[in-house]
Each structure stands twice: as structure tokens, then as C-alpha cells.
Amino acid sequence: MADGGVVKSLLQLLENLNNGIDSLEAASSLGVDHQAIVGAVKSLQAIGNVISAELRSSKHCGLTAEGTEVVEQGSHEARVFNCIPPEGFPHNDLMKLPFGKIGFSKALLNKWIRLDKTSEGGPKIFRNVKNIEDHVREKLLLVMKGNATELNEKDKTELKKRTLLSEVTVKSYWIVKGSSFSTTLTKHDTDLTAEMIVAGSWKGKKFKPYNFDAWGAAPDSGHLHPLMKVRTEFRQIFLEMGFTEMPTNNFIESSFWNFDSLFQPQQHPARDQHDTFFLSDPEISHEFPHDYLVRVKTVHTEGGFGSQGYKYEWKTEEAQKNILRTHTTAVSARMLYKLAQQEEFSPIKYFSIDRVFRNETLDATHLAEFHQIEGVVADYGLTLGDLMGILHQFFTKLGITKLRFKPAYNPYTEPSMEVFSYHEGLNKWVEVGNSGIFRPEMLLPMGLPEDVSVIAWGLSLERPTMIKYGINNIRELVGHKVNLQMVYDSPICRLDGKPPRLRA
């Protein structure tokens, strides 16, 4: 029967009733599935007050698949009794039957059978009574016929324990005539048009009532920021490679850890107020490892460890100045110094991904803050080949395989390399990071062994090559096409041919 036919039949059924009717009873009377009646009820409710329907719940007992089998073939214990001939039945053979184990224990409990362990050829089972009554099957027949109310609670509980009976919750509707009840339905209009108003035809039309309780379409919201998604991907790669994340929760850093400990001279341009944010409160730091500070001062002014130093007057006042850190390498310096204080050196692999700050003039290709990714490996006998190998492994995990390395200069790494990747979208080589081996003038004052080398690299999270997957994430998050060139030219991408100063 079609849906329209079910609706019509239901209305005709209600027309002849003074009171209402249960949807289950209506389905039985009309000879249709209960869900068809439910669909008809919802359709009529959407029209208006043609009917009124109240949702009701009731619990009914029903047979399980095993319970249906018992009704058809008898209970397990009855089948065991019926299969035993006068000469007895071998116990082992009975246990092989599908109903043997359960039926044996129940029949033995009812004293219908007995077990003779002294029988020739092994234990045998014999009938203990002449006839039996299968009460279990009789109780299940009552349920099948809809007379479950005749069972007491004890019987129901026992049958449930044997998984022959289950209690199900049945939901139905109590349906009554509404204030606008009619067996003839007319389709209501849903929209009031300008033509209806001009012609005045709206006066003779019936409109579908608004459902003010209906939920509206949920607006798109709560998405993860594309950079945070890519940051999670980077972090997972580092963890897969066996790196440990460094604590980077100190945006404020002293010039000592940010510059001096890295063998960066105090007259370096990066320390100018045009490049670095200096703090006025608190203006300076006071607590430094004294012996280490003296060694840093000495290597800057007089040299040492095979270096002649910078030959200038090193001032503690400059090292004390507080700044917004310009790179996360300041955190690496702290971690390497902490490593050097251990009684016995052990190789480490550290990484960090966090925010850094530069006093840049904001324009199309520069921001005052961005995220730096940094990796540091300390071990005996590391070489430039180890650095290139680990960079290849790192970028391959990102899906970037076309790499080039170019010699570069950094104050605290020697040798140093800039890393370039070929960008398929721009059809050119783009710088993606800086790297190198930390100089002895930086490491040995910390107290690290002379034969320990530290390789490191740094890159910006925002760079377009590094967010090649992030572009796809941006498309996914905003839900429409993105102009890739617009993204590449944005401040976070820095593709002006003059990448920001990133220190390894």
C-alpha cells in the first residue's frame, strides 16, 4: 500500500471511531507494517491539526531465537528425555548433541533421568519416570500467543536467565482526531508570494503553519586553525623520529641566553632595537650560572678552544637585558647547558615548535611574530653528512624529496647550510630553513665533551613549502576554492626573495 493510501485508510479508520486508536492496533487492522502507520502519522502532523498523536512506550515479552526453537522442538530437557531408549543412552554420546549439556543438567535437576556410572561400556543415562510434561514449552507458547500476562514474575525471570525470553520496549502512538480533522486533505501552501498578494488569492488559501520549535541548520564553526593542524603533523614526525619536545613556555628571555650563550657578539645588528623587542618591566635578569657566564665572557673577549674571539669589551649589562625571544634556539642553549651538567654525557635529540618575535615593519611579506620549528641532535662524532641525512629523512616524511643545500653563515654554526626545496606550485626553488653544526665556542664553555658535536636546524612553520599539505587543509576548512597565489603572497609566506633571518 502506498504512503498516500495508508494516510487515507488511517483517516477513514479514525472517522468511524469515537475515541482514539493505538498505532499498533491500527497497523494490525489495516494489515500494514507499523512503520507505515508511523510515517502516515508524521505526515498528517506536518499538515496541521488533522490528528493528534501522543507517543507511548510499553514493555512486552518476546521470544528469543532459542525460545522460538524450544516452542517448535521442545525444551532441551524434554528432548534429552525423549531421546533416551529403555536400554539407556551413553553419557558421552549425549554430550555431543546440540541440546545435550543444558538438557542433561535440567533433566537431572527435574529427576526425569538418572546417571549410572557402573554400566558396562561407560556411564549411561536412563529414564527415571515414565512420562513428563514440558512446562517450559507451554509457558513460551503463552508468550507466542500474546498471553504473557498469565506468567508470574518468577517464571519470566527463569526464562530470561535461560535466554529463552526477552523484554522489549515497544513505542507506539495513541492517535485521535484533531480540531481540523477531515478525510479529504488539501495541500497547504508553504510560501506567500508577491503574486498572491497582488491578486488577493492568499485570502482563500491555507498555509502550512511554521514550526518554531524546529532546529535551524547549524553554521560551520569550531574548526582547527590550519597552522595548528600542520603543527600537529610536524610534532608527530619529530616524535616518530625519536625526538623529545623541549619546554618553550618562556616567551621572555634574557639577552644572555638568546645571544651571548650562542657566541653572538653584543654589537651584532640583531641586538638593535629595530630588530628585537626589549622589555621595560622587568628590564633586566639577575640569575645566571656564574662560572658559565665567566666562560662565555672570556670566549667573546679573549677567545679560546681554538678561537680568537671577537676582541671587544663584553658587558654584563647587555647580557642582562630582557627581550621577547627572537628564536627558539635560546631554549636549545638552555637544554644543552643542562645536558652538560650531567655527570656522564648521553646523546639526545630535541625539538621545539613555538612562537618567536621580531621587531619587523609589518608589510606584505613580514610579521612581528611567527612560529619557529627547531631540531637539535647531540652525539659523538656527528658530521655535516649526518645533518644532511637527518634533514632528508625529516623532509621525506613530509612528502618533500627535492632538496638542495647552500653554504651560509651563522654566528654560532660552522659549517652552516641553507635548505631549499623545489616547489611544484611556484615552479622554483624556495628556501625552507637554515641549519648547521654548533661552533665549539658555543658548546665547550657549557662543559660538553670536546668530541661531542651538535647538529641543528630551524625553519618557519608558516613557509609555503612547509604547509603544502596545509593549503589543502585551508581549502577544506573554509569550504571553498582558495587562490593559491594569494596565499603564497601573504605575510606568513615571505616569498619576496628575502626570507626572514632564521637562526639554526
mmCIF file of all heavy atoms in Angstrom, residues 107-126:
data_model
loop_
_atom_site.group_PDB
_atom_site.id
_atom_site.type_symbol
_atom_site.label_atom_id
_atom_site.label_comp_id
_atom_site.label_asym_id
_atom_site.label_seq_id
_atom_site.Cartn_x
_atom_site.Cartn_y
_atom_site.Cartn_z
ATOM 1 N N ALA A 107 17.268 -31.867 33.079
ATOM 2 C CA ALA A 107 16.503 -33.109 33.278
ATOM 3 C C ALA A 107 16.922 -33.813 34.551
ATOM 4 O O ALA A 107 16.086 -34.406 35.266
ATOM 5 C CB ALA A 107 16.701 -34.025 32.067
ATOM 6 N N LEU A 108 18.217 -33.748 34.859
ATOM 7 C CA LEU A 108 18.712 -34.364 36.096
ATOM 8 C C LEU A 108 18.147 -33.619 37.307
ATOM 9 O O LEU A 108 17.790 -34.220 38.318
ATOM 10 C CB LEU A 108 20.240 -34.330 36.094
ATOM 11 C CG LEU A 108 20.964 -35.300 37.026
ATOM 12 C CD1 LEU A 108 20.673 -36.755 36.632
ATOM 13 C CD2 LEU A 108 22.476 -35.047 36.997
ATOM 14 N N LEU A 109 18.071 -32.265 37.189
ATOM 15 C CA LEU A 109 17.537 -31.443 38.262
ATOM 16 C C LEU A 109 16.044 -31.739 38.482
ATOM 17 O O LEU A 109 15.555 -31.744 39.624
ATOM 18 C CB LEU A 109 17.744 -29.957 37.945
ATOM 19 C CG LEU A 109 17.334 -28.957 39.022
ATOM 20 C CD1 LEU A 109 18.193 -29.119 40.278
ATOM 21 C CD2 LEU A 109 17.452 -27.527 38.496
ATOM 22 N N ASN A 110 15.316 -32.011 37.401
ATOM 23 C CA ASN A 110 13.879 -32.348 37.493
ATOM 24 C C ASN A 110 13.642 -33.805 37.895
ATOM 25 O O ASN A 110 12.493 -34.221 38.035
ATOM 26 C CB ASN A 110 13.209 -32.095 36.142
ATOM 27 C CG ASN A 110 13.155 -30.620 35.788
ATOM 28 O OD1 ASN A 110 13.255 -29.766 36.661
ATOM 29 N ND2 ASN A 110 12.996 -30.317 34.498
ATOM 30 N N LYS A 111 14.726 -34.581 38.038
ATOM 31 C CA LYS A 111 14.675 -36.007 38.394
ATOM 32 C C LYS A 111 13.934 -36.839 37.337
ATOM 33 O O LYS A 111 13.268 -37.823 37.638
ATOM 34 C CB LYS A 111 14.022 -36.197 39.772
ATOM 35 C CG LYS A 111 14.800 -35.531 40.898
ATOM 36 C CD LYS A 111 14.158 -35.781 42.261
ATOM 37 C CE LYS A 111 14.955 -35.112 43.369
ATOM 38 N NZ LYS A 111 14.352 -35.333 44.715
ATOM 39 N N TRP A 112 14.058 -36.389 36.067
ATOM 40 C CA TRP A 112 13.473 -37.140 34.970
ATOM 41 C C TRP A 112 14.383 -38.285 34.546
ATOM 42 O O TRP A 112 13.919 -39.270 33.981
ATOM 43 C CB TRP A 112 13.239 -36.237 33.752
ATOM 44 C CG TRP A 112 12.166 -35.198 33.956
ATOM 45 C CD1 TRP A 112 11.324 -35.104 35.005
ATOM 46 C CD2 TRP A 112 11.854 -34.124 33.065
ATOM 47 N NE1 TRP A 112 10.482 -34.048 34.857
ATOM 48 C CE2 TRP A 112 10.777 -33.408 33.664
ATOM 49 C CE3 TRP A 112 12.355 -33.700 31.848
ATOM 50 C CZ2 TRP A 112 10.218 -32.295 33.064
ATOM 51 C CZ3 TRP A 112 11.787 -32.594 31.244
ATOM 52 C CH2 TRP A 112 10.734 -31.899 31.851
ATOM 53 N N ILE A 113 15.687 -38.139 34.820
ATOM 54 C CA ILE A 113 16.674 -39.120 34.380
ATOM 55 C C ILE A 113 17.606 -39.428 35.541
ATOM 56 O O ILE A 113 17.643 -38.709 36.546
ATOM 57 C CB ILE A 113 17.484 -38.615 33.164
ATOM 58 C CG1 ILE A 113 18.232 -37.310 33.539
ATOM 59 C CG2 ILE A 113 16.597 -38.417 31.947
ATOM 60 C CD1 ILE A 113 19.158 -36.792 32.468
ATOM 61 N N ARG A 114 18.371 -40.507 35.362
ATOM 62 C CA ARG A 114 19.416 -40.836 36.339
ATOM 63 C C ARG A 114 20.661 -41.271 35.583
ATOM 64 O O ARG A 114 20.597 -41.764 34.451
ATOM 65 C CB ARG A 114 18.955 -41.947 37.280
ATOM 66 C CG ARG A 114 18.609 -43.248 36.607
ATOM 67 C CD ARG A 114 18.070 -44.281 37.595
ATOM 68 N NE ARG A 114 17.645 -45.500 36.917
ATOM 69 C CZ ARG A 114 18.469 -46.492 36.572
ATOM 70 N NH1 ARG A 114 19.786 -46.416 36.868
ATOM 71 N NH2 ARG A 114 18.000 -47.579 35.954
ATOM 72 N N LEU A 115 21.821 -41.092 36.199
ATOM 73 C CA LEU A 115 23.104 -41.440 35.593
ATOM 74 C C LEU A 115 23.671 -42.658 36.313
ATOM 75 O O LEU A 115 23.845 -42.648 37.534
ATOM 76 C CB LEU A 115 24.084 -40.258 35.698
ATOM 77 C CG LEU A 115 25.506 -40.488 35.191
ATOM 78 C CD1 LEU A 115 25.506 -40.795 33.690
ATOM 79 C CD2 LEU A 115 26.382 -39.262 35.492
ATOM 80 N N ASP A 116 23.971 -43.710 35.549
ATOM 81 C CA ASP A 116 24.554 -44.928 36.097
ATOM 82 C C ASP A 116 26.005 -45.006 35.627
ATOM 83 O O ASP A 116 26.293 -45.292 34.464
ATOM 84 C CB ASP A 116 23.778 -46.151 35.617
ATOM 85 C CG ASP A 116 24.250 -47.432 36.308
ATOM 86 O OD1 ASP A 116 25.240 -47.362 37.072
ATOM 87 O OD2 ASP A 116 23.640 -48.496 36.061
ATOM 88 N N LYS A 117 26.913 -44.734 36.534
ATOM 89 C CA LYS A 117 28.335 -44.725 36.194
ATOM 90 C C LYS A 117 28.948 -46.119 36.148
ATOM 91 O O LYS A 117 30.081 -46.290 35.693
ATOM 92 C CB LYS A 117 29.107 -43.862 37.197
ATOM 93 C CG LYS A 117 28.718 -42.402 37.173
ATOM 94 C CD LYS A 117 29.557 -41.594 38.149
ATOM 95 C CE LYS A 117 29.174 -40.129 38.110
ATOM 96 N NZ LYS A 117 29.984 -39.320 39.065
ATOM 97 N N THR A 118 28.194 -47.151 36.633
ATOM 98 C CA THR A 118 28.740 -48.511 36.696
ATOM 99 C C THR A 118 28.343 -49.339 35.483
ATOM 100 O O THR A 118 28.651 -50.529 35.411
ATOM 101 C CB THR A 118 28.242 -49.209 37.982
ATOM 102 O OG1 THR A 118 26.815 -49.307 37.945
ATOM 103 C CG2 THR A 118 28.679 -48.433 39.217
ATOM 104 N N SER A 119 27.631 -48.756 34.543
ATOM 105 C CA SER A 119 27.176 -49.508 33.371
ATOM 106 C C SER A 119 28.359 -50.002 32.542
ATOM 107 O O SER A 119 29.414 -49.349 32.475
ATOM 108 C CB SER A 119 26.270 -48.633 32.494
ATOM 109 O OG SER A 119 25.109 -48.262 33.200
ATOM 110 N N GLU A 120 28.148 -51.147 31.901
ATOM 111 C CA GLU A 120 29.173 -51.731 31.060
ATOM 112 C C GLU A 120 29.380 -50.848 29.823
ATOM 113 O O GLU A 120 28.422 -50.420 29.174
ATOM 114 C CB GLU A 120 28.749 -53.144 30.634
ATOM 115 C CG GLU A 120 29.823 -53.883 29.840
ATOM 116 C CD GLU A 120 29.385 -55.291 29.480
ATOM 117 O OE1 GLU A 120 28.328 -55.730 29.982
ATOM 118 O OE2 GLU A 120 30.096 -55.922 28.702
ATOM 119 N N GLY A 121 30.604 -50.553 29.514
ATOM 120 C CA GLY A 121 30.915 -49.702 28.361
ATOM 121 C C GLY A 121 30.954 -48.226 28.687
ATOM 122 O O GLY A 121 31.094 -47.398 27.793
ATOM 123 N N GLY A 122 30.810 -47.887 29.970
ATOM 124 C CA GLY A 122 30.881 -46.487 30.371
ATOM 125 C C GLY A 122 29.579 -46.001 30.943
ATOM 126 O O GLY A 122 28.556 -46.694 30.891
ATOM 127 N N PRO A 123 29.560 -44.786 31.526
ATOM 128 C CA PRO A 123 28.354 -44.233 32.146
ATOM 129 C C PRO A 123 27.208 -44.151 31.139
ATOM 130 O O PRO A 123 27.402 -43.781 29.975
ATOM 131 C CB PRO A 123 28.797 -42.835 32.604
ATOM 132 C CG PRO A 123 30.290 -42.915 32.707
ATOM 133 C CD PRO A 123 30.726 -43.870 31.636
ATOM 134 N N LYS A 124 26.005 -44.502 31.644
ATOM 135 C CA LYS A 124 24.809 -44.442 30.820
ATOM 136 C C LYS A 124 23.713 -43.664 31.547
ATOM 137 O O LYS A 124 23.698 -43.571 32.773
ATOM 138 C CB LYS A 124 24.303 -45.843 30.489
ATOM 139 C CG LYS A 124 25.004 -46.505 29.313
ATOM 140 C CD LYS A 124 24.277 -47.796 28.929
ATOM 141 C CE LYS A 124 24.923 -48.407 27.694
ATOM 142 N NZ LYS A 124 24.190 -49.630 27.246
ATOM 143 N N ILE A 125 22.793 -43.118 30.729
ATOM 144 C CA ILE A 125 21.679 -42.344 31.267
ATOM 145 C C ILE A 125 20.397 -43.148 31.028
ATOM 146 O O ILE A 125 20.160 -43.647 29.923
ATOM 147 C CB ILE A 125 21.584 -40.970 30.587
ATOM 148 C CG1 ILE A 125 22.883 -40.180 30.805
ATOM 149 C CG2 ILE A 125 20.398 -40.181 31.118
ATOM 150 C CD1 ILE A 125 22.991 -38.942 29.991
ATOM 151 N N PHE A 126 19.572 -43.250 32.084
ATOM 152 C CA PHE A 126 18.314 -43.982 31.988
ATOM 153 C C PHE A 126 17.168 -43.070 32.420
ATOM 154 O O PHE A 126 17.359 -42.106 33.180
ATOM 155 C CB PHE A 126 18.337 -45.213 32.911
ATOM 156 C CG PHE A 126 19.356 -46.245 32.514
ATOM 157 C CD1 PHE A 126 20.654 -46.199 33.015
ATOM 158 C CD2 PHE A 126 19.014 -47.270 31.639
ATOM 159 C CE1 PHE A 126 21.591 -47.153 32.657
ATOM 160 C CE2 PHE A 126 19.944 -48.234 31.283
ATOM 161 C CZ PHE A 126 21.240 -48.183 31.784
#
